[in-house]
Amino acid sequence: MLSSSALGGLLLAVSIGSIWASFDVMFEKFEQLNGTEIVSVKLRVRKYNRTISVLAGIMDLKEVADNNLEVGIRCAYSSKGNNQFNQYPMKIARTKMCDFLNNDWREYYPYFENSSNLPKVGECPVQPMEFYFNDMVLDSNMFPPYLPHGLWRMSISLYRPGVDIPVILVEVYFKVAAVGVL
């Protein structure tokens, strides 16, 4: 028989686990703000059905991507969904492209492999080619176990080494809400 403190601890652990892992995510919008001379992004978010939005289209890489580019990812959220974004400490620090593809990409590639032909882990340099996204659904498991609900903006920047202005900037907008709300 469980003691009352053990039972209370078990209930607390179950309730915290359900709070931390209980959210849905859905694509809202995708924009390329600059860098079309390096990569032309023709991706759009579209409704797949009443409950799911997907990312579809192509990215045309026009030059070799290796350590002559650095990747940085920042996130911001708008709790009311009114585009008043606050920076959030969830980010991937600016790192060289090959280092990113050999390390950080390892955690995220499984979420892309069935719906795109993005480079595999360790494939660097990346040769110029067209990358496709075929109805990619955003998976909540690719994010930390808890995210505040609201509208999110993920800014993916590519830089030349030693230059602080991004040569490519794309922004992915997505919603986070309780399970079953989206």
Side-chain angles (χ1 to χ4, degrees), residues 66-86:
D66 54 15
N67 281 341
N68 67 344
L69 290 173
E70 297 176 344
V71 181
I73 301 174
R74 297 181 335 268
C75 292
Y77 79 101
S78 171
S79 60
K80 295 180 181 176
N82 59 1
N83 290 330
Q84 294 181 354
F85 288 97
N86 298 307

Side-chain angles (χ1 to χ4, degrees), residues 76-144:
Y77 79 101
S78 171
S79 60
K80 295 180 181 176
N82 59 1
N83 290 330
Q84 294 181 354
F85 288 97
N86 298 307
Q87 290 299 316
Y88 198 73
M90 181 174 66
K91 67 178 184 176
I92 294 177
R94 190 169 157 177
T95 184
K96 294 182 188 268
M97 178 65 77
C98 289
D99 294 341
F100 174 79
L101 290 172
N102 288 323
N103 298 308
D104 295 319
W105 187 233
R106 189 174 312 278
E107 292 181 39
Y108 300 101
Y109 178 72
Y111 300 104
F112 292 87
E113 71 180 327
N114 292 328
S115 58
S116 74
N117 65 335
L118 289 174
K120 292 178 176 52
V121 174
E123 270 186 21
C124 200
V126 180
Q127 298 302 316
M129 66 180 289
E130 271 192 2
F131 296 100
Y132 67 81
F133 286 78
N134 188 14
D135 294 341
M136 180 188 171
V137 176
L138 198 56
D139 187 338
S140 62
N141 292 319
M142 74 183 340
F143 298 100

